[in-house]
Amino acid sequence: RKAIRVQLVVDAVEVYDSLGRAIELAPHFAHAYAARALVAIAAWFFPHTGTLRDWAALSEHAVQEAELHAAALPETHLAAARLNSQKGQLRAAVVALRRALDIAPTSPEALTILGQLETETGRLAEGLAKLALAAELEPTAGAVHYEQARAASLRGDHAAFRRGFETLRRVTPGIPATHQALRHAIWWRDLELL
């Protein structure tokens, strides 16, 4: 599962096609449906995949297939949440994330996304608690540290931002850390990190 998460941005087309072949060979392999939905959404979100595929439509279809064949897996509901979030349907995204957490209460991905949505929609304490738990469960996950730093910057907590940013830079150097530094610099006119 974790290997697919790491590869889905880099080789999304290849992974998506491979999962399609796996489904053809083993149509009852639930994990392939859930993984394929996550990969389709990643390819839609990160459109540098170099293909002209309609990733929005493929994502919709892949999530529907996952909900039909892999409803017992938290990844299916995580994919549904990402799809709904991408479409701006935040209530539906939260419902899907809660389903994922009902199945797997310690899912760092679900906790991270739900924490992000909560911090963005005024439920700061709840969101920060979920982000802290996600960071504790998977300390090397860049996404949770990215969201913790972003939430700290949004609320003007510069010390917490710097701690979160340093962790992010250590765990996920490169574009995510640079992006977060640019955001903070623009929001607060703080050019020190650049």
Side-chain angles (χ1 to χ4, degrees):
R1 289 177 176 174
K2 191 169 186 174
I4 287 176
R5 289 196 310 263
V6 170
Q7 289 295 85
L8 49 85
V9 173
V10 177
D11 303 319
V13 174
E14 184 179 332
V15 174
Y16 180 85
D17 291 343
S18 295
L19 289 165
R21 286 190 294 279
I23 290 168
E24 288 172 10
L25 294 170
H28 298 295
F29 184 36
H31 293 280
Y33 290 98
R36 192 173 196 216
L38 287 169
V39 170
I41 294 162
W44 181 25
F45 189 77
F46 298 102
H48 65 279
T49 57
T51 71
L52 298 177
R53 296 183 191 189
D54 183 353
W55 287 109
L58 290 172
S59 296
E60 288 272 357
H61 178 72
V63 168
Q64 289 171 357
E65 292 258 303
E67 289 173 335
L68 181 64
H69 298 285
L73 297 176
E75 291 86 358
T76 293
H77 304 289
L78 184 62
R82 287 185 173 163
L83 176 68
N84 286 311
S85 181
Q86 182 82 345
K87 294 175 8 182
Q89 299 172 348
L90 300 184
R91 286 188 197 277
V94 168
V95 168
L97 289 165
R98 289 192 177 134
R99 276 192 218 121
L101 290 168
D102 285 345
I103 296 167
T106 58
S107 166
E109 296 92 350
L111 288 164
T112 298
I113 296 171
L114 186 54
Q116 171 198 356
L117 290 174
E118 287 178 342
T119 59
E120 289 176 353
T121 57
R123 299 181 61 155
L124 189 60
E126 297 95 327
L128 291 174
K130 286 178 182 69
L131 291 172
L133 178 56
E136 185 178 331
L137 292 167
E138 195 166 346
T140 60
V144 68
H145 300 296
Y146 182 92
E147 292 304 330
Q148 286 178 311
R150 187 188 56 75
S153 183
L154 280 171
R155 68 181 187 275
D157 186 342
H158 302 289
F161 169 79
R162 290 203 183 267
R163 286 190 306 274
F165 175 77
E166 289 305 322
T167 302
L168 173 65
R169 187 164 45 187
R170 188 177 61 254
V171 170
T172 312
I175 292 173
T178 302
H179 183 254
Q180 198 58 267
L182 286 170
R183 272 185 164 178
H184 186 75
I186 290 167
W187 292 341
W188 297 101
R189 300 177 198 263
D190 179 359
L191 305 180
E192 214 174 287
L193 296 174
L194 299 178

